[in-house]
Amino acid sequence: MNFPTYRQQGLLVAGGYPLVDMMSQIFSNERDPLHGRQLPVMYSSKSHGFFSISGNLGTQYIQAVGWAMASAIKGDTKIAAGWIGDGSTAESDFHAALVFASTYKAPVVLNIVNNQWAISTFQGIAKGGSGTFAARGHGFGIPALRVDGNDYLAVYAVAQWAIERARRNLGPTVVEYVTYRVAAHSTSDDPSAYRPKEESDAWPLGDPIERLKNYLIGKGAWSEERHAQHAAEVEAEVLAAQKEAERHGTLHSGGKPSVRDMFEGVYKDMPPHLRRQRQQAGV
Ligand SMILES: Cc1ncc(C[n+]2csc(CCOP(=O)(O)OP(=O)(O)O)c2C)c(N)n1
Ligand SMILES: [Mg+2]
């Protein structure tokens, strides 16, 4: 079970969760799998091992560790993965999670995505006197790895290793992925206010897709033509998914989740005051 932040939508896409469902949630339309009850990009899918994203950063770590501990106590084989950004490691939740993971040898992979920035704050602030974010794990006696997060194959190998450790009940692993947030933090953020415009171009680890592409071309397993064709296919798939999602409604028009949905899915037995409100709403 992944306990992701808003940066891990890729886990859902890679796990085969439908793009149309993701977009429908953004549009809050009639096909939104969460029926308009969550913020647009705060996805949730138990069947895809994707715990509901919480906007409260740092919570993912303690939840992942607790969930992994429960799995081990039950004698289950399931493992957990927690996700956190560089800035959020300064939260006390991060440290509490590491204490419990270490003490109880929880079967969990604790991922730190160090993309250099926490909105406008450079990662050096959260890191403080620690040499690296990975080194935080060592202080708790947890094996920790630091990997070039823009090297697809290195990331894959490190993740496999950490997952295998958890599966064999050898305890937690901390993994720091060193990467760079090229885009703005959000649509309301303007990075030119706090970092040089050319900084991302100068980032020495490069673009992960370009690197994998060049590596595979060098090995004779891929070509520029196939890459261009594949990119066009992916773009067409995304556009088709968007068209399909829009058919079920957009923010401005079309189908919406039922008002009735607002009252359901929270309480096992609906309390009387909500039943009254539902009657008043006539749904
Ligand atoms: C507990 C908490 N405090 C503050 C915020 C506001 N906030 C949203 S994103 C963000 C920066 C997070 O930076 P980082 O942890 O590096 O993650 P990144 O966005 O870079 O992946 C902050 C402070 C929040 N969502 N939750
Ligand atoms: Mg960050």
Side-chain angles (χ1 to χ4, degrees), residues 223-246:
S223 67
E224 290 288 356
E225 297 70 41
R226 283 179 72 184
H227 193 83
Q229 188 190 349
H230 186 63
E233 280 167 16
V234 170
E235 197 172 319
E237 191 185 328
V238 172
L239 286 175
Q242 185 181 341
K243 273 220 171 82
E244 171 65 12
E246 284 175 352

Side-chain angles (χ1 to χ4, degrees), residues 198-225:
E198 317 73 39
E199 194 187 79
S200 63
D201 295 335
W203 176 245
L205 302 183
D207 179 292
I209 296 176
E210 278 294 303
R211 282 176 64 183
L212 182 61
K213 181 186 87 172
N214 292 337
Y215 174 78
L216 292 174
I217 290 174
K219 285 192 81 83
W222 198 237
S223 67
E224 290 288 356
E225 297 70 41

Side-chain angles (χ1 to χ4, degrees), residues 19-251:
L19 288 180
V20 177
D21 285 358
M22 294 177 84
M23 293 179 185
S24 291
Q25 184 172 335
I26 292 173
F27 288 133
S28 227
N29 65 21
E30 66 191 10
R31 191 174 156 166
D32 172 2
L34 304 186
H35 307 290
R37 297 184 190 119
Q38 256 289 23
L39 285 166
V41 298
M42 304 275 170
Y43 303 107
S44 173
S45 177
K46 194 174 180 181
S47 58
H48 288 77
F50 197 89
F51 202 84
S52 303
I53 299 177
S54 162
N56 304 325
L57 295 168
T59 53
Q60 295 77 16
Y61 254 43
I62 42 179
Q63 290 169 353
V65 172
W67 195 96
M69 284 167 59
S71 175
I73 289 165
K74 282 189 292 196
D76 204 334
T77 56
K78 295 193 184 81
I79 64 168
W83 297 85
I84 204 164
D86 45 276
S88 308
T89 63
E91 293 270 354
S92 55
D93 284 350
F94 172 79
H95 300 85
L98 263 60
V99 172
F100 274 76
S102 166
T103 301
Y104 291 95
K105 285 186 84 177
V108 62
V109 181
L110 295 166
N111 300 289
I112 304 169
V113 180
N114 174 7
N115 63 6
Q116 311 303 314
W117 292 95
I119 312 185
S120 58
T121 305
F122 181 61
Q123 47 97 353
I125 307 272
K127 198 164 60 187
S130 185
T132 64
F133 288 100
R136 294 253 192 247
H138 296 148
F140 293 88
I142 299 176
L145 295 163
R146 189 168 190 252
V147 61
D148 174 351
N150 287 10
D151 180 336
Y152 176 89
L153 295 172
V155 165
Y156 189 80
V158 165
Q160 288 290 324
W161 189 81
I163 288 167
E164 193 57 29
R165 268 180 48 79
R167 287 207 198 288
R168 290 198 197 166
N169 226 5
L170 296 172
T173 310
V174 167
V175 182
E176 175 186 354
Y177 303 91
V178 181
T179 184
Y180 188 91
R181 191 202 79 217
V182 176
H185 174 78
S186 65
T187 48
S188 59
D189 174 44
D190 171 16
S192 72
Y194 53 83
R195 68 185 193 194
K197 275 202 171 74
E198 317 73 39
E199 194 187 79
S200 63
D201 295 335
W203 176 245
L205 302 183
D207 179 292
I209 296 176
E210 278 294 303
R211 282 176 64 183
L212 182 61
K213 181 186 87 172
N214 292 337
Y215 174 78
L216 292 174
I217 290 174
K219 285 192 81 83
W222 198 237
S223 67
E224 290 288 356
E225 297 70 41
R226 283 179 72 184
H227 193 83
Q229 188 190 349
H230 186 63
E233 280 167 16
V234 170
E235 197 172 319
E237 191 185 328
V238 172
L239 286 175
Q242 185 181 341
K243 273 220 171 82
E244 171 65 12
E246 284 175 352
R247 252 181 10 90
H248 293 276
T250 66
L251 290 174

